Amino acid sequence: MLDENDNLIRCSLRGKFQKEYELKKDKLYKLDLAAVGDFVEYEKNADGTGVIYKIRERKNYISRKAPRIKGASYRGERLEQVLAANLDNLFIVTSIRKPAFNNRSVDRLIVAGESSHLNVNIVINKSDLQKKNEAEEWKNFYEEIGYKVFIISSKNSEGDFDGIHNILNEKVTVFWGHSGVGKSSLLNILFPHLNLKVREVSSYSNKGKHTTVTSLMEKVKDNTFVIDTPGVREIDPYGITKENLGFYFAEFKPYINECKFNTCTHQHEPGCAVIEAVENGEISLERYESYLLILHTVEEDLFF
Ligand code: GDP
Ligand code: ZN
């Protein structure tokens, strides 16, 4: 962790913070493990290392459903794993080709960002590889919903990098993207002379094995931090229910209160204003299909 003078202090966690989960009488209990971005209280050891004894209350955080642990009974619940805390922005980094732009994956990440109340932005990298104006079409698509979209080529150093810097300034920003899209290349352009101050937090991977996932938080300027989550490919956001999912689709919000039933999940209920908006072309079919796909995964999770 970093102290108030930006010194990097290697810390361990005291007692009850050490294990992420505790198995008691065949039931799992979640323990509060420090996550990257946490503000902590610690004691200094004589050798300069520290021991964390308190994690301060989090403004917000992103989390996902934790892996299932062998030998525990779940009774339908999945535990929550905090990936990063006290955040302002999410940058979803994608590429237009190699790998191909995947709007389903973008929509899942938007849901994760919206459910944690983050300011969501999208980067479409590798514009040098596109054939027609594919990237511009997706930019218009997401900007119409209200998200800022930056088309860049990290390879050619083309794009509105100043615009990205303006959003990052004095904020804590998470960068998220599938491997190979060029997230590292982008970070290197944004912060070429970065003297990395890196914090590491180990967690479990979603394979259920104890392989390490590392989140890195880098202080890039005064009050400006970026978090990279290199080990995390997909997230399965925690706390999303079929009742609240629609609220994380920003363009659905004006219609949701107009649905006949306040428990409407916008699938086939009569008097659904969201479905009507899809039929009128006010909500795009693409986004509505993403909504249904995520809704089905949320519903399946209820029946473990
Ligand atoms: P990461 O896994 O998301 O961190 O991606 P990297 O930054 O490691 O880049 C993955 C690959 O894509 C590397 O071979 C890069 O050289 C390449 N790459 C990154 N940005 C661009 C770009 O704008 N255009 C092209 N054509 N290739 C790129
Ligand atoms: Zn509805």
Side-chain angles (χ1 to χ4, degrees), residues 57-225:
E57 201 178 323
R58 292 165 177 149
K59 172 175 90 172
N60 63 2
Y61 57 85
I62 43 173
S63 63
R64 65 174 176 180
K65 289 173 197 155
R68 272 166 262 200
I69 295 179
K70 240 176 132 182
S73 85
Y74 282 86
R75 301 179 204 284
E77 320 139 50
R78 293 273 295 275
L79 292 164
E80 183 173 26
Q81 178 183 37
V82 176
L83 296 169
N86 302 311
L87 314 161
D88 300 301
N89 302 311
L90 170 64
F91 266 88
I92 299 171
V93 186
T94 68
S95 53
I96 196 66
R97 279 165 186 257
K98 292 190 179 176
F101 187 84
N102 181 339
N103 61 305
R104 301 278 172 249
S105 162
V106 169
D107 289 341
R108 284 186 74 84
L109 289 168
I110 289 176
V111 166
E114 290 286 354
S115 68
S116 300
H117 310 288
L118 307 185
N119 169 40
V120 176
N121 306 274
I122 299 166
V123 172
I124 307 177
N125 188 31
K126 309 198 186 184
S127 63
D128 54 287
L129 296 180
Q130 69 172 338
K131 295 271 154 57
K132 288 176 239 133
N133 284 337
E134 300 156 290
E136 282 73 13
E137 280 170 24
W138 286 116
K139 179 178 158 83
N140 293 339
F141 180 87
Y142 282 103
E143 285 193 338
E144 215 162 280
I145 300 165
Y147 298 111
K148 280 217 170 68
V149 181
F150 297 88
I151 298 176
I152 65 165
S153 167
S154 296
K155 188 181 168 196
N156 298 339
S157 278
E158 282 169 9
D160 181 13
F161 299 110
D162 287 345
I164 297 176
H165 272 297
N166 285 340
I167 295 172
L168 304 183
N169 223 0
E170 309 244 313
K171 303 283 184 204
V172 178
T173 300
V174 182
F175 281 82
W176 216 306
H178 289 258
S179 72
V181 297
K183 183 161 51 87
S184 311
S185 310
L186 168 62
L187 287 169
N188 285 338
I189 291 175
L190 292 170
F191 310 108
H193 307 298
L194 185 67
N195 184 13
L196 288 184
K197 287 183 180 125
V198 171
R199 297 210 259 179
E200 297 187 17
V201 168
S202 298
S203 298
Y204 294 101
S205 83
N206 63 0
K207 299 279 188 295
K209 279 186 274 164
H210 292 195
T211 38
T212 302
V213 169
T214 309
S215 296
L216 308 172
M217 182 186 232
E218 293 154 10
K219 180 165 183 173
V220 290
K221 277 190 279 185
D222 272 357
N223 302 319
T224 304
F225 297 86

Side-chain angles (χ1 to χ4, degrees), residues 246-258:
F247 291 98
Y248 308 135
F249 281 75
E251 73 275 40
F252 291 15
K253 277 189 221 164
Y255 301 99
I256 289 175
N257 287 335
E258 305 298 319

Side-chain angles (χ1 to χ4, degrees), residues 259 264 266 272-274:
C259 292
C264 191
H266 327 301
C272 174
V274 171

